[in-house]
């Protein structure tokens, strides 16, 4: 039996909303059409996926299993569509992913100058999707900051830079020329502690089993808002702290913490000459900057 991806998309919309009306509006289809498609999917799979009553819509155990399996299946289908589209366009377009704060214009200009007919695009990424854009085919290469999951990726180290702690201007450590990681042991970290294992190893709250890190704050801007409000501190690469500078915050070097690592990554299964050419250009550019 072949599974209809369109019906799967309809099902995921309903499963996430748990409301047929809202799902139909999000999909821009009529609610009766959506209901028929869900019934058809249940008939295809010979399983009841959703229960509807006056209290609302709920998932059955089979529906919960299908939702868990459908999300990666649909993501892979979207990635396949993008990769095929990229191949159909030929070698006239190259897309680079980059986090804010990274200087990537020089290697991009160099690649474009070598290939006058090539269009080079840039996609801004975030901390949470810096490798997703490679896996799903949105970009050819992506500039990332470690740590990342290296599975399925080719990783080319480029450069390192110091890490700093970002603090409110009135913080007790704000006037210091530098701090040590132990100075931050009692602070709340507005970031996943896995991103700063040195802090995690000394943090009194983590060692005591209480939560001293915010893992639900996703973007740099959100983290800085929490820092400015006095909810904690955040450890960032120097260039990121500088890029997002604001008058109510300051940053202080951390003297005994390892540097941030910037790398270029791409899908390890790809053999594109443009990818390897761009990687060589980026590596040479960063090497020349380090020697000047």
């Amino acid at each position: 039996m072949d599974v209809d991806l369109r019906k799967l998309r309809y099902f995921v919309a309903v499963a996430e909303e748990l409301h047929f009306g809202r799902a139909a509006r999000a999909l821009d289809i009529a609610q009766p059409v959506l209901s028929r498609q869900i019934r058809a999917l249940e008939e295809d799979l010979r399983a009841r996926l959703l229960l509807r009553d006056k209290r609302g819509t709920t998932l059955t155990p089979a529906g919960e299993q299908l939702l868990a399996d459908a999300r990666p299946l649909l993501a892979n289908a979207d990635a396949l569509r993008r990769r095929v589209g990229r191949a159909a366009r030929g070698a006239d377009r190259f897309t680079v992913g980059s986090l804010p704060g990274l200087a990537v214009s020089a290697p991009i200009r160099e690649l474009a100058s070598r290939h006058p007919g090539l269009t080079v695009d840039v996609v801004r990424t975030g901390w949470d999707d810096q490798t997703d854009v490679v896996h799903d085919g949105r970009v050819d290469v992506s500039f990332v900051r470690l740590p990342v999951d290296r599975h399925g990726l080719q990783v080319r180290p480029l450069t390192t830079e110091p890490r700093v702690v970002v603090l409110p201007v009135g913080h007790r450590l704000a006037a210091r020329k530098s701090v040590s990681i132990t100075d931050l042991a009692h602070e709340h970290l507005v970031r996943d502690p896995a991103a700063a294992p040195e802090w995690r190893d000394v943090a009194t709250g983590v060692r005591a089993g209480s939560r001293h890190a915010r893992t639900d704050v996703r973007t740099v801007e959100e983290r800085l808002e929490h820092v400015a409000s006095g909810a904690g501190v955040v450890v960032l690469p120097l260039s990121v702290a500088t890029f997002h500078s604001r008058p109510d915050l300051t940053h202080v070097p951390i003297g005994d913490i390892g540097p941030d690592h910037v790398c270029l990554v791409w899908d390890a299964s790809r053999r594109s000459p443009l990818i390897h050419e761009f990687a060589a250009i980026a590596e040479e550019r960063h090497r020349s900057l380090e020697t000047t």
Side-chain angles (χ1 to χ4, degrees), residues 70-223:
R71 283 169 169 153
L73 179 61
L74 292 174
N76 287 335
D78 290 338
L80 173 64
R81 188 179 299 108
R82 278 188 286 265
R83 287 194 292 267
V84 171
R86 182 176 58 205
R89 291 193 301 269
D92 61 347
R93 187 174 295 272
F94 190 82
T95 306
V96 179
S98 177
L99 290 161
L102 293 180
V104 300
S105 58
I108 288 174
R109 285 197 304 269
E110 176 68 19
L111 184 71
S113 69
R114 295 186 184 186
H115 302 273
L118 182 69
T119 299
V120 184
D121 296 322
V122 179
V123 171
R124 283 299 182 191
T125 63
W127 295 91
D128 297 322
D129 69 348
Q130 55 180 335
T131 58
D132 292 344
V133 294
V134 175
H135 290 303
D136 66 20
R138 277 178 281 170
V139 304
D140 295 285
V141 298
S142 185
F143 288 89
V144 304
R145 295 185 184 277
L146 299 184
V148 298
D149 182 355
R150 299 178 180 231
H151 179 72
L153 297 175
Q154 185 73 35
V155 180
R156 179 74 61 89
L158 295 177
T159 190
T160 61
E161 64 172 298
R163 285 189 285 174
V164 300
V165 59
V166 182
L167 310 161
V169 291
H171 193 277
R172 62 183 178 86
L173 300 173
R176 298 270 292 271
K177 292 184 177 180
S178 68
V179 297
S180 69
I181 197 66
T182 54
D183 291 327
L184 306 175
H186 300 291
E187 300 290 339
H188 292 260
L189 189 69
V190 189
R191 196 176 177 191
D192 184 343
E198 300 92 343
W199 175 87
R200 180 191 58 201
D201 292 342
V202 301
T204 55
V206 172
R207 295 170 68 184
S210 61
R211 185 180 179 186
H212 269 240
R214 291 291 301 268
T215 60
D216 58 332
V217 183
R218 302 177 70 86
T219 68
V220 174
E221 291 82 0
E222 289 174 335
R223 293 186 183 112

Side-chain angles (χ1 to χ4, degrees), residues 102-104 107 142-144 146 155-160 260-266 278-288 290:
L102 293 180
V104 300
S142 185
F143 288 89
V144 304
L146 299 184
V155 180
R156 179 74 61 89
L158 295 177
T159 190
T160 61
D260 181 74
H261 294 264
V262 177
C263 299
L264 188 73
V265 303
W266 61 92
F278 183 80
I281 292 171
E283 187 175 31
E284 178 58 31
R285 287 281 182 171
H286 282 87
R287 186 184 301 117
S288 64
E290 291 173 354

